[in-house]
């Protein structure tokens, strides 16, 4: 990968970290009554636009999101990390593709907010997707399948948190002990928190499949409300701090991860 492409990819990874840090900060502030709001990615983008120099910062964020999409598509199609073409490799690369697709929708949302045609917030893209699926033949089964995808992703996040492979990659990065400890600890906390949020989104999606009602589904924002209503504010704060830690993890990855040439 040439220098310009590598810088764009690193900037993209850092931008993902920035969005997660913002989600963590806004949700923590809302939970402790200091303003803010329990929100997902779209709401975080809206909050950027409303701040000082908001349009400029949001424009920079759009560029960063495009950089992250660029990196995910390289991982999916050019396979610089040699994931391979067996079942496991194809599954990983397909995951990279859909991750890039998700951040493509997020970048599009950011551009809509930037141009003033979208106010952010809303009911969440997951509810919209569920509503469309329920209108299809065997819609409830399709939504049930989507719920299983979320559950699988949640389990994978928890696996990453405790995986020796994750720790060994950090140890092989050539970082000093302090940086390695920061990367491992922030990554572990972040993966656990992401897994919890994704599992709850999966539960809400399964609930929508059983009831055949898209209003029962939800995205990150609704998952935060569910955590607070069912388990209390303290757990919501822990999850929000965990997502902030994941953002820190992405910042460190952006700086230190090895970019394999393609």
């Amino acid at each position: 990968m040439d220098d310009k492409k590598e810088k764009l990819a690193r900037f993209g990874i850092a931008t993902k970290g920035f969005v997660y840090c913002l989600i963590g900060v806004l949700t923590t502030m809302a939970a402790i009554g200091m303003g803010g709001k329990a929100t997902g990615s779209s709401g975080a983008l809206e909050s950027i636009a409303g701040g000082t120099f908001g349009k400029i910062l949001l424009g920079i964020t759009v560029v960063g999101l495009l950089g992250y999409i660029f990196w995910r598509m390289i991982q999916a199609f050019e396979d610089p990390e040699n994931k391979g073409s067996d079942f496991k490799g194809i599954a990983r690369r397909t995951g990279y593709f859909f991750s890039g697709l998700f951040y493509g929708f997020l970048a599009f949302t950011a551009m809509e907010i930037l141009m003033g045609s979208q106010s952010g917030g809303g009911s969440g893209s997951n509810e919209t997707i569920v509503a469309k699926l329920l209108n299809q033949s065997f819609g409830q089964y399709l939504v049930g399948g989507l719920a299983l995808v979320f559950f699988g992703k949640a389990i994978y996040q928890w696996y990453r948190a405790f995986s020796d492979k994750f720790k060994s990659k950090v140890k092989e990065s050539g970082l000093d002990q302090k940086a390695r400890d920061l990367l491992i600890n922030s990554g572990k906390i972040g993966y656990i928190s992401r897994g919890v949020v994704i599992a709850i989104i999966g539960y809400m999606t399964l609930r929508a499949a059983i009831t055949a009602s898209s209003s029962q589904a939800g995205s990150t924002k609704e998952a935060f409300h569910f955590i607070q209503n069912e388990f209390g504010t303290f757990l919501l704060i822990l999850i929000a701090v965990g997502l902030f830690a994941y953002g820190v993890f992405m910042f460190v990855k952006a700086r230190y991860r090895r970019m394999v040439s393609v």
Side-chain angles (χ1 to χ4, degrees):
M1 182 183 299
D2 65 43
D3 187 58
K4 289 183 179 179
K5 290 181 179 179
E6 180 176 325
K7 286 181 178 178
L8 179 61
R10 290 188 187 279
F11 182 53
I13 296 169
T15 300
K16 179 182 177 180
F18 168 69
V19 172
Y20 268 94
C21 284
L22 191 57
I23 291 171
V25 168
L26 290 172
T27 302
T28 300
M29 290 175 64
I32 62 179
M34 292 182 63
K37 57 182 177 180
T39 186
S41 302
S42 297
L45 294 174
E46 184 185 25
S47 71
I48 295 172
T52 306
F53 304 112
K55 296 293 186 181
I56 295 173
L57 184 55
L58 186 58
I60 294 171
T61 302
V62 169
V63 174
L65 290 172
L66 293 175
Y68 189 71
I69 298 163
F70 165 76
W71 170 238
R72 279 310 203 195
M73 293 306 167
I74 283 181
Q75 287 180 300
F77 293 106
E78 300 190 29
D79 194 22
E81 298 166 318
N82 295 316
K83 300 300 181 183
S85 299
D86 58 5
F87 177 80
K88 184 178 179 181
I90 292 297
R92 290 290 299 275
R93 292 166 65 184
T94 301
Y96 295 147
F97 173 78
F98 280 106
S99 174
L101 200 61
F102 169 78
Y103 282 95
F105 285 123
L106 189 59
F108 179 75
T109 298
M111 286 187 282
E112 284 190 316
I113 296 171
L114 190 61
M115 293 184 293
S117 60
Q118 156 98 321
S119 62
S123 59
S125 59
N126 191 43
E127 185 175 334
T128 303
I129 292 170
V130 167
K132 290 180 179 179
L133 289 176
L134 286 173
N135 287 330
Q136 307 302 315
S137 300
F138 306 106
Q140 286 180 268
Y141 293 102
L142 293 173
V143 175
L146 179 61
L148 292 178
V149 171
F150 282 122
F151 287 134
K153 186 174 181 180
I155 292 169
Y156 181 68
Q157 297 300 305
W158 295 326
Y159 164 76
R160 287 296 300 268
F162 298 102
S163 169
D164 288 335
K165 187 176 181 180
F166 159 60
K167 295 177 183 177
S168 65
K169 276 191 172 183
V170 173
K171 291 175 181 177
E172 292 170 0
S173 63
L175 302 176
D176 60 42
Q177 186 62 47
K178 186 176 180 180
R180 287 202 305 269
D181 289 344
L182 174 63
L183 194 58
I184 289 174
N185 292 331
S186 60
K188 179 181 290 187
I189 296 169
Y191 280 128
I192 292 171
S193 297
R194 282 191 86 204
V196 170
V197 173
I198 293 168
I200 292 172
I201 293 173
Y203 164 74
M204 292 188 293
T205 304
L206 181 61
R207 188 174 62 183
I210 294 171
T211 61
S213 173
S214 62
S215 65
Q216 296 295 311
S219 54
T220 303
K221 178 181 176 180
E222 287 74 30
F224 286 149
H225 290 311
F226 180 89
I227 292 170
Q228 187 166 29
N229 293 336
E230 298 295 328
F231 302 104
T233 299
F234 181 70
L235 182 59
L236 177 61
I237 293 171
L238 288 180
I239 297 299
V241 171
L243 295 179
F244 180 86
Y246 183 77
V248 172
F249 172 66
M250 295 306 295
F251 276 121
V252 179
K253 278 186 69 175
R255 173 66 180 83
Y256 292 109
R257 77 162 290 160
R258 294 178 179 176
M259 293 291 188
V260 185
S261 299
V262 292

